[in-house]
Amino acid sequence: MGHPKQQVDPEDFKLKEADLWLSANAHSSVADLRLKYGLSRPYFSWITRLEAQHKYAKKFPKLLQTEWVFPAGQATEQSSSERTAEYKASLVSSPYTVDLCAGMGIDSWALTNRETGRGHFANELDKGLSRLIAVNLKNSTTASGSAEDALPQLKRWLQEKDISPMEVTIYLDPDRRSGSGKSVALQDASPNIVDLQKELLNLSHTLLTKHSPMIDLAALNELNHLSEIHVVEYQGECKEVLAIQRWGHTGSPTCKLVVLKEHFIAERSSVEGVSEEIPYVTELDQFLIQPGPGLAKSNLHELLAAEEQWKKWTVGNLYTCNHIPPSSPFYKRYKVMEVAKPYKLKLPEEGGAIERIGYPEHPDVIRKKLGWKEGRENKLFAVKRGKEKLMVFAKRLE
């Protein structure tokens, strides 16, 4: 992860004029302020705070109500949101927690906010970020270095406090990006969790690791004592995949789909039933079902399809049926209005969304050719099945 050479200095917020300047410039353009003040202190630090307020109000609503010092660079952008961090913390019941790749510290923040928490150890490779974590998490023990280099200090912390492995959960969010910016395999991430897992499980009862939403779930089988896999969807996107390793666990892991909503959490697990064979069809029935990103990633859509007696359409990851599907946070449902050859549809004036599945033309090109404005009520699926091209006009059911 790249970080700027100059980092925010927490001392800049102790200056008596800091609050007055921040208040006076609360609605100013961050870009204009950067041009005016450049890298000069204390303005560099203050502008970073304003940038966080402008860009991340929905991502960090609680933190922005505190004196949390946000870092400059990619750490804030690439970190977990408060919502996903709090979900991870809800999976932890041990009194002591460890975060070996803390980043800007949001996951450590959630872990230390647990009522059952009695102590926390946070390590971050980047020294600038580690300094900010020490300021933001005053009651935690902090270290700076690679996860491997932090282990001797972690062991001393555990020994000095007489903490047994049964009282510890270790959290790890490895750097999963190569120099090309592409996601890498478990062994290529930093640190290499496959090599490190045995030592970490000797120090803890539970090892919780965060992985890219792009990971092949089968790759997680390289993790020992794998107990659970959580596929987390938030704000219409599959945000992360969590792996929970519990010392001594044997057998296949449970796969759990988790959809985080504003006021509730919807969950579905692989142990809720056994998938039956699903019939494939070439023609659509009255209704069309499209699994959400989390349902698709978790591969639990087949289990759900069998329960609801859906049929699998031979196009993409879509299902169809002749009865109205129940409302669900796990998928979108549509009423099929018309299926026709490309550009032969009778579309309503109110517009809609366009999605292509194997279709050669970009949705923007399709929209221009159709002269159809954007909207949410309707959807057009442009699909290609073998050499056949079709367009499906459907109405969304809320």
Side-chain angles (χ1 to χ4, degrees), residues 98 100 147 151 154 165 168 170-172 191-193 195-207 209 247:
V98 177
L100 285 177
L151 290 182
L154 170 60
V168 181
I170 295 178
Y171 171 66
L172 186 60
N192 181 341
I193 184 61
D195 287 347
L196 200 59
Q197 59 182 330
K198 183 176 181 180
E199 185 169 8
L200 296 182
L201 283 169
N202 283 333
L203 299 174
S204 64
H205 176 267
T206 302
L207 177 56
T209 52
W247 182 256

Side-chain angles (χ1 to χ4, degrees), residues 140-158:
S140 299
T141 298
T142 58
S144 180
S146 68
E148 296 89 344
D149 291 342
L151 290 182
Q153 186 173 341
L154 170 60
K155 291 175 182 177
R156 287 195 299 272
W157 180 75
L158 295 171

Side-chain angles (χ1 to χ4, degrees), residues 177-340:
R177 297 204 170 266
S178 63
S180 64
K182 296 181 179 179
S183 295
V184 294
L186 290 182
Q187 296 93 332
D188 297 326
S190 179
N192 181 341
I193 184 61
V194 177
D195 287 347
L196 200 59
Q197 59 182 330
K198 183 176 181 180
E199 185 169 8
L200 296 182
L201 283 169
N202 283 333
L203 299 174
S204 64
H205 176 267
T206 302
L207 177 56
L208 172 63
T209 52
K210 174 182 172 182
H211 304 274
S212 165
M214 302 299 293
I215 193 171
D216 181 353
L217 297 187
L220 297 177
N221 290 328
E222 297 181 73
L223 301 178
N224 301 330
H225 309 290
L226 183 60
S227 172
E228 299 174 24
I229 298 172
H230 291 229
V231 177
V232 182
E233 178 184 326
Y234 179 51
Q235 296 180 331
E237 296 180 24
C238 183
K239 291 293 186 181
E240 54 196 41
V241 173
L242 307 175
I244 300 178
Q245 297 167 256
R246 291 193 172 94
W247 182 256
H249 176 82
T250 58
S252 300
T254 298
C255 183
K256 181 177 288 188
L257 164 62
V258 179
V259 179
L260 301 178
K261 295 293 186 180
E262 186 176 356
H263 300 298
F264 70 96
I265 298 175
E267 297 182 355
R268 182 160 187 95
S269 172
S270 59
V271 299
E272 292 178 7
V274 179
S275 180
E276 302 174 6
E277 188 172 344
I278 303 166
Y280 278 69
V281 294
T282 57
E283 304 294 330
L284 287 174
D285 288 338
Q286 295 183 62
F287 299 96
L288 185 149
I289 304 100
Q290 183 176 35
L295 185 61
K297 182 65 184 181
S298 66
N299 294 321
L300 295 179
H301 47 86
E302 292 186 359
L303 174 63
L304 191 56
E307 289 181 4
E308 298 294 336
Q309 296 183 323
W310 299 338
K311 305 164 191 171
K312 181 73 171 67
W313 193 31
T314 53
V315 173
N317 190 27
L318 300 173
Y319 294 86
T320 188
C321 63
N322 272 321
H323 56 276
I324 299 179
S327 177
S328 172
F330 302 134
Y331 56 79
K332 293 179 181 178
R333 52 192 187 142
Y334 301 90
K335 168 71 173 175
V336 178
M337 306 303 293
E338 186 180 1
V339 181

